[in-house]
Amino acid sequence: MDIAIRAARPEELAAVGELTARVYLDGGLLDFGEDDPYLAVLRDARGRAEHAEVLVAVEPSRPEHAGGELLGTVTFVGRGGRYADIAEPGEGEFRMLVVHPAARGRGVGEALVRECLERARALGLRRLVLSSQDRMYAAHRLYERLGFVRTPERDWSPVPGLPALLTFGLSLT
């Protein structure tokens, strides 16, 4: 399958936010379901795009169509700021990696992570880091296959009383 990775276009941001929210909801990844306050953050791709790079994976369509089908998305944080949860100086971070259910198993997630790696290297960053829920098994296999290692000393919980997020990192130097 041919996959193109690029920055999300302004007219796509609502769909990006909805895809992100649906994958988390349908995957049982929100502790409070439809009432989870994080749902609004997931849906706010437009807000993320103001502070980070919202990337999309698309299947290039026929030449007469400009967009392509939205296969997945990730938010890349290259220089800290509002969306950098665990990145320290010299580190990039990515968040909210999701793949449309119909596109799973086709390398979409890997292509998005590899694009984050390329962007981090292009910025001269020394490391790329991320946080993940303990039940995101397929994502953990992907990260480990790409060379990320667990960094349990950086695990953290965004909401007291909820399970800690697992952290991973990959040295780029």
Side-chain angles (χ1 to χ4, degrees), residues 27-73:
L29 300 172
L30 296 172
D31 291 303
F32 305 107
E34 292 277 354
D35 296 324
D36 198 302
Y38 193 53
L39 187 58
V41 176
L42 295 170
R43 282 195 169 118
D44 188 19
R46 189 167 311 285
R48 284 196 300 282
E50 293 174 8
H51 302 279
E53 293 183 75
V54 177
L55 306 175
V56 295
V58 295
E59 184 171 358
S61 57
R62 296 180 304 239
E64 64 270 18
H65 294 89
E69 180 183 349
L70 185 62
L71 303 174
T73 181

Side-chain angles (χ1 to χ4, degrees), residues 40-115:
V41 176
L42 295 170
R43 282 195 169 118
D44 188 19
R46 189 167 311 285
R48 284 196 300 282
E50 293 174 8
H51 302 279
E53 293 183 75
V54 177
L55 306 175
V56 295
V58 295
E59 184 171 358
S61 57
R62 296 180 304 239
E64 64 270 18
H65 294 89
E69 180 183 349
L70 185 62
L71 303 174
T73 181
V74 68
T75 298
F76 173 73
V77 184
R79 296 279 186 210
R82 176 184 292 181
Y83 287 92
D85 284 330
I86 63 168
E88 297 173 354
E91 294 180 334
E93 184 170 348
F94 69 87
R95 301 186 51 190
M96 302 175 202
L97 171 68
V98 298
V99 175
H100 191 289
R104 291 186 182 147
R106 300 183 195 173
V108 173
E110 181 172 342
L112 286 162
V113 173
R114 287 187 183 279
E115 181 65 23

Side-chain angles (χ1 to χ4, degrees), residues 69-156:
E69 180 183 349
L70 185 62
L71 303 174
T73 181
V74 68
T75 298
F76 173 73
V77 184
R79 296 279 186 210
R82 176 184 292 181
Y83 287 92
D85 284 330
I86 63 168
E88 297 173 354
E91 294 180 334
E93 184 170 348
F94 69 87
R95 301 186 51 190
M96 302 175 202
L97 171 68
V98 298
V99 175
H100 191 289
R104 291 186 182 147
R106 300 183 195 173
V108 173
E110 181 172 342
L112 286 162
V113 173
R114 287 187 183 279
E115 181 65 23
C116 291
L117 286 165
E118 289 305 312
R119 287 172 186 258
R121 286 184 180 109
L123 290 172
L125 299 174
R126 63 178 170 76
R127 187 172 180 86
L128 186 61
V129 297
L130 67 111
S131 302
S132 180
Q133 293 182 19
D134 62 353
R135 56 190 173 232
M136 295 177 166
Y137 310 113
H140 300 170
R141 287 191 301 275
L142 168 64
Y143 305 146
E144 290 167 2
R145 189 172 68 248
L146 293 175
F148 286 84
V149 296
R150 279 277 293 118
T151 53
E153 69 279 4
R154 292 174 81 170
D155 291 356
W156 65 288

